[in-house]
Amino acid sequence: MRAADTSKPVEIVDTTTRDGNQSLWGATGLTTPDVLAIAPAMDRVGFRALDFTSSTHMAVSVRFHREDPWERIRLVSAAMPATPLNFITTGMRFISWVPAGEDVIRLVFRSVARNGIRRIQIAEPSNEPEALIRLARIAREEGVEEVVVGLTYSISPVHTHDYYADRARAVAGSADIDRLYLKDPGGLLSTDAVRDLAPRFIEAFAPRPVELHSHCTIGLGPLAYVEGLRAGIRTLHTAVAPLANGTSNPSAEMTLRNLEAEGYSHGLDREALGEVSAYFRELGAEKDLPLGAPAEYDAAYYRHQMPGGMVTTTQRQLAEIGRPELFEATLEEVTRVRAEMGYPIMVTPVSQFVASQAVMNVISKRRWTKVSNEMVRYFLGHFFEPAAPVDPEVAERVLALPRAEELRKLEPLSLDGARERFGAGVPDEELLLRLTMPAEQVDGMLVDRAAP
């Protein structure tokens, strides 16, 4: 490999308030006042962007904190004029597991942009180029300043390096995509994989930038970042140390130390970064929330590939039903279920479907006798086309369920009739929440918002 060019400064996308919060604090750890209090200091750091929110986090604001998620975007955007706020989406879905129609997604993109989101990351779980290009076009048409498309990394008989290189070349044909990123939510990327994939992404997408996003679930994230730098990537995704490591992203502090040791430069304000890190460390102690710690390498992780958040959620669910001893068997079952489903990538929402099905299969006397509506819709093809064929016997069993025919008729969420249902004068932002969330939760948020 050629010697890396170290002349171009490395950019850092901060993930603390979105991915760090989700990975370590269950997405519920931060309120609007929490984020707003430190926003000016975060703006001084010099981050390339702030991985700020998603529809999941917006729902958490309403459901757990009775806060208006749109107001959070507006307030923090005003407090951070130098740092673009980012909204991440998995595609044709907003809050609800039910897929959404294009009219809904257009309104979502228009609304987030209007309220202060300047950058959107699109990580469609099937890695289908046509779907990614379509979403990028919609985002651009609805006023988003910067569109970043992710190819989500996974390992299976079909998810080869050629598979990813082909898709990188395919999405490069879209003028609506400003940046491409290699998204590794499971922390699966080895140095060998980065050494092979990163140059192929860079070559396919040149001269536009390529970013790298990984996790520390089995300790590989920091190593992947160093290898990515050597291959030519100049934008990395990190969280400040209290919300880094573990199942989260590599820490900003250690990433800067590593890149400096390799001869690279950056433009971040270390004093402001230290202030931000100290704030979240104190906040975690105050709320009795766990701080990130380095994880050990676990080779078994490559079999199930469950995101860190889903691992802890599954452990909690088994404990709640009094069967914690089934955890290891559930992980083994996840591997089998994923293969039978055509090797979907283990990201939202499919990772939740797989984990829930594995639990039901382990508890039941016969596999695939208890199946969620979402799993039925998966086999009906309502979410995306799997990368590999599904197991025909499992598909036959699932689609033979009496409710399968009823679910087959379900249409994606649409704005048709929504104004009539919720009121002609309802703002777009409230309309989107009412379309996708229980009425009592939205009502509770509005009551608290109106309180003095």
Side-chain angles (χ1 to χ4, degrees):
M1 182 183 292
R2 294 177 304 171
D5 177 9
T6 61
S7 61
K8 186 176 180 181
V10 176
E11 302 173 321
I12 299 294
V13 172
D14 180 73
T15 65
T16 304
T17 58
R18 205 278 305 171
D19 212 349
N21 177 30
Q22 182 169 322
S23 296
L24 298 184
W25 292 355
T28 62
L30 297 175
T31 64
T32 297
D34 291 337
V35 181
L36 197 58
I38 195 61
M42 297 186 82
D43 199 38
R44 293 198 308 272
V45 175
F47 294 123
R48 175 64 181 71
L50 197 72
D51 178 9
F52 184 65
T53 194
S54 67
S55 72
T56 297
H57 285 73
M58 295 176 78
V60 165
S61 292
V62 176
R63 185 175 297 123
F64 290 92
H65 303 307
R66 294 167 70 102
E67 292 181 340
D68 182 347
W70 303 101
E71 181 180 50
R72 180 183 294 195
I73 294 171
R74 290 192 297 272
L75 291 173
V76 177
S77 176
M80 299 186 65
T83 311
L85 299 190
N86 180 87
F87 174 82
I88 187 170
T89 175
T90 55
M92 303 298 286
R93 187 182 74 81
F94 181 73
I95 294 180
S96 170
W97 291 139
V98 179
E102 183 173 319
D103 57 345
V104 174
I105 297 303
R106 282 189 176 277
L107 186 59
V108 170
F109 288 176
R110 191 182 319 141
S111 298
V112 296
R114 182 171 59 228
N115 281 273
I117 293 293
R118 292 160 55 190
R119 165 178 153 129
I120 281 186
Q121 289 173 200
I122 302 168
E124 202 273 340
S126 70
N127 286 331
E128 177 53 49
E130 288 185 9
L132 291 164
I133 290 170
R134 176 191 179 198
L135 285 159
R137 185 186 70 250
I138 293 171
R140 180 72 74 211
E141 291 173 351
E142 298 303 331
V144 176
E145 289 181 22
E146 184 170 75
V147 179
V148 186
V149 156
L151 291 175
T152 305
Y153 186 69
S154 185
I155 297 174
S156 81
V158 292
H159 293 101
T160 64
H161 287 188
D162 286 343
Y163 163 99
Y164 284 99
D166 289 346
R167 279 153 179 76
R169 285 190 291 271
V171 299
S174 169
D176 294 314
I177 301 173
D178 299 301
R179 289 172 169 243
L180 176 66
Y181 80 116
L182 177 52
K183 178 179 172 63
D184 177 27
L188 301 167
L189 279 169
S190 66
T191 54
D192 287 343
V194 176
R195 194 177 298 122
D196 180 43
L197 277 174
R200 297 168 80 172
F201 271 49
I202 293 168
E203 180 182 4
F205 208 67
R208 289 166 289 177
V210 173
E211 303 181 358
L212 181 57
H213 174 108
S214 189
H215 285 245
C216 301
T217 311
I218 53 175
L220 297 181
L223 300 173
Y225 279 11
V226 170
E227 200 60 48
L229 290 171
R230 293 170 179 166
I233 287 176
R234 292 295 177 268
T235 306
L236 304 173
H237 294 204
T238 70
V240 295
L243 279 157
N245 293 308
T247 56
S248 184
N249 312 107
S251 76
E253 292 89 333
M254 187 53 69
T255 298
L256 296 187
R257 181 179 174 87
N258 289 341
L259 70 87
E260 288 170 352
E262 289 282 317
Y264 301 96
S265 63
H266 61 86
L268 271 59
D269 183 329
R270 279 191 172 274
E271 183 177 348
L273 181 65
E275 181 181 343
V276 172
S277 196
Y279 172 82
F280 283 106
R281 183 172 287 104
E282 292 169 8
L283 186 66
E286 178 186 317
K287 294 189 173 190
D288 196 26
L289 294 168
L291 302 183
E296 291 187 304
Y297 180 75
D298 179 6
Y301 184 76
Y302 280 94
R303 294 203 299 271
H304 59 78
Q305 299 182 36
M306 280 238 288
M310 281 307 304
V311 170
T312 54
T313 298
T314 303
Q315 287 174 317
R316 187 189 72 244
Q317 290 173 340
L318 289 170
E320 288 172 352
I321 63 173
R323 302 297 301 274
E325 74 280 3
L326 296 179
F327 178 66
E328 290 299 329
T330 298
L331 290 184
E332 290 297 324
E333 181 64 12
V334 162
T335 304
R336 189 175 175 187
V337 168
R338 181 177 178 240
E340 290 166 333
M341 292 172 64
Y343 294 102
I345 297 173
M346 295 292 282
V347 291
T348 300
V350 178
S351 58
Q352 285 85 344
F353 304 166
V354 175
S356 296
Q357 189 62 49
V359 170
M360 288 189 283
N361 284 357
V362 168
I363 292 174
S364 303
K365 292 182 179 179
R366 189 179 174 208
R367 302 177 68 249
W368 293 99
T369 53
K370 294 182 179 180
V371 181
S372 68
N373 286 347
E374 289 77 21
M375 186 61 83
V376 174
R377 297 194 71 182
Y378 175 89
F379 278 94
L380 286 168
H382 287 187
F383 294 96
F384 53 78
E385 187 71 24
V390 300
D391 184 291
E393 292 184 8
V394 171
E396 183 179 2
R397 183 178 300 177
V398 170
L399 297 180
L401 294 170
R403 66 184 186 277
E405 282 307 308
E406 182 180 347
L407 291 171
R408 188 186 299 274
K409 301 171 186 175
L410 287 180
E411 297 292 332
L413 288 177
S414 170
L415 296 179
D416 289 346
R419 295 289 179 188
E420 289 76 11
R421 288 166 56 197
F422 302 119
V426 172
D428 291 342
E429 291 81 359
E430 182 182 334
L431 179 70
L432 287 167
L433 297 179
R434 290 198 176 280
L435 191 65
T436 55
M437 297 192 71
E440 63 272 16
Q441 294 180 4
V442 181
D443 291 340
M445 176 205 77
L446 293 175
V447 168
D448 278 24
R449 189 179 69 180

